[in-house]
Amino acid sequence: MEDVRHMHELPYVAHFVNNKRALMKFPNIEIRSFEICICDGKSKLFQDIVSRILRHIKNNTEIRIDNCEKHLRSYTEENKSEISQLVKQDFISVTGPDRLRILKWLADQTKEKKNDIDEMLNEEFGGDSQLDPTIINVGQDSENRTYWYFDDLRLYRQKSGQSKGSGDWQCLATSCSTWEEVIGNFSQSTDDQEQDLHAYLSNQLYPAIKPLLETQSPEPAVITNKDLLAAEAWEMEGNRSSQTPATSEAPPTPTADQSELIKSENPELLKVLSEEPYAGKNNSAQINGEAKKSGSLTYSQQQNQLYIFSSQMANRAVDSVASRAHPSIFHFHLDDPETKQFLQVFIILYLLSQ
């Protein structure tokens, strides 16, 4: 599994799956479970993702877990892709690294992949680009190697001026101890870039994700083939009936503990966050020794603190709105004891400033 963990395709595909979950109804799965299933030839997660992407691309609801192999072979041949060589063998025999290469290629075929993650990983990346706010270009070290955070509680390093092969990309930190080890390596550095990198990691990013690392389960909940097939059957039944009853619920699937940004739908709160003293605070990452404006650092902030909520809470908020228990995600968080205090701080400070 180590060879998969150090491929840039792993966070690339995992981020795509989580980012497009609502659109293609991907299972809610954290990266630890994702890498386990990708390396397990008996797991049908790979086929599930392939079938969902192909159904979306080709608008063909007949593509299923059990028949997606032939559809993928046909699609790769139509596109004259080199990936066609990887799908000639039975899926159960495809290696973990090759599965990731196939999934990355498929993800890149979707029309929604306009802001390709590759744009962030090349030498010409500019901080003024409109980037996904859950992906952070953390900074560079003295050897100009770039450090990345993909909203998955892991820290990655990309070699400078290299193609993104498995040897040019490395997963450095997956736990509190490994994060602290990486941060400690820069604590005594006299290099400007590494001082900026150390300051951002130790003062902002790591404190924000440390509680999530400390509370995640020792072993990830691995999604089963039974769960995947049940979810597909439920979805296909919904497609056949052309509408889903308001009371029907999708079968439960394991939820991830990885961080997820909660975007408020309430215009008043957005107004509060857009005005001084909040607008512009901590909106730049120190990269290459100078402050560069970055669209990647847009977590909800109050003064010098970052608040990152778990995807479990985000999913509860969405379910609450869908069931009409709350009129908006904002109202859910205003009622929830865990998030209510943060929202109240924002609102009170705003009112006092008027």
Side-chain angles (χ1 to χ4, degrees), residues 124-331:
E124 300 175 359
F125 166 65
D128 291 332
S129 302
Q130 293 299 311
L131 304 174
D132 190 309
T134 60
I135 302 174
I136 299 177
N137 181 335
V138 178
Q140 293 180 312
D141 60 22
S142 60
E143 299 178 37
N144 291 322
R145 295 176 296 187
T146 304
Y147 291 70
W148 294 96
Y149 177 70
F150 277 78
D151 194 33
D152 58 5
L153 305 186
R154 294 182 173 187
L155 183 66
Y156 301 91
R157 183 175 65 197
Q158 176 199 359
K159 286 186 179 179
S160 174
Q162 301 286 333
S163 61
K164 295 175 289 298
S166 58
D168 303 316
W169 185 267
Q170 187 177 5
C171 177
L172 296 179
T174 61
S175 63
C176 287
S177 61
T178 50
W179 271 89
E180 290 165 7
E181 181 181 354
V182 171
I183 293 171
N185 290 338
F186 298 120
S187 61
Q188 303 300 319
S189 176
T190 58
D191 180 79
D192 288 343
Q193 292 189 148
E194 292 187 352
Q195 287 179 346
D196 292 334
L197 180 59
H198 178 264
Y200 179 70
L201 287 173
S202 59
N203 297 331
Q204 294 195 58
L205 184 56
Y206 181 57
I209 67 171
K210 184 179 179 181
L212 299 171
L213 285 166
E214 290 175 333
T215 56
Q216 72 177 0
S217 59
E219 296 297 327
V222 178
I223 191 168
T224 67
N225 291 341
K226 181 179 179 181
D227 290 331
L228 295 169
L229 292 168
E232 182 184 72
W234 177 86
E235 184 181 341
M236 293 302 104
E237 179 62 30
N239 288 336
R240 281 194 293 271
S241 62
S242 299
Q243 62 179 17
T244 304
T247 56
S248 67
E249 296 182 357
T253 56
T255 57
D257 287 327
Q258 72 181 55
S259 60
E260 183 175 73
L261 179 65
I262 299 195
K263 298 182 177 71
S264 171
E265 295 179 348
N266 184 277
E268 289 303 314
L269 182 60
L270 291 178
K271 178 182 176 183
V272 171
L273 297 180
S274 66
E275 294 187 5
E276 294 292 349
Y278 312 104
K281 291 275 188 179
N282 298 319
N283 254 355
S284 61
Q286 292 291 328
I287 302 174
N288 295 329
E290 59 179 323
K292 289 188 177 181
K293 195 187 255 183
S294 173
S296 63
L297 185 56
T298 56
Y299 291 99
S300 298
Q301 300 182 33
Q302 190 266 322
Q303 296 179 349
N304 288 323
Q305 298 180 354
L306 290 84
Y307 302 108
I308 304 179
F309 304 104
S310 70
S311 57
Q312 289 178 323
M313 180 173 288
N315 292 333
R316 288 201 339 254
V318 171
D319 292 341
S320 177
V321 174
S323 64
R324 306 195 181 207
H326 290 91
S328 71
I329 290 177
F330 169 75
H331 288 86

Side-chain angles (χ1 to χ4, degrees), residues 10-71:
L10 178 65
Y12 185 107
V13 174
H15 185 272
F16 174 83
V17 167
N18 279 295
N19 211 27
K20 305 302 178 185
R21 178 169 166 251
L23 178 66
M24 302 185 201
K25 299 182 175 60
F26 290 123
N28 186 16
I29 184 168
E30 63 165 304
I31 196 165
R32 294 184 301 165
S33 302
F34 181 74
E35 66 184 3
I36 290 173
C37 292
I38 286 298
C39 294
D40 181 3
K42 295 181 180 179
S43 172
K44 293 186 181 296
L45 179 64
F46 173 67
Q47 290 93 321
D48 182 71
I49 297 174
V50 167
S51 61
R52 291 180 183 280
I53 296 177
L54 284 177
R55 278 203 298 271
H56 177 73
I57 292 175
K58 300 182 73 67
N59 194 27
N60 181 356
T61 59
E62 297 304 313
I63 301 175
R64 310 288 182 84
I65 289 175
D66 59 2
N67 67 13
C68 65
E69 282 190 55
K70 65 178 183 180
H71 288 282

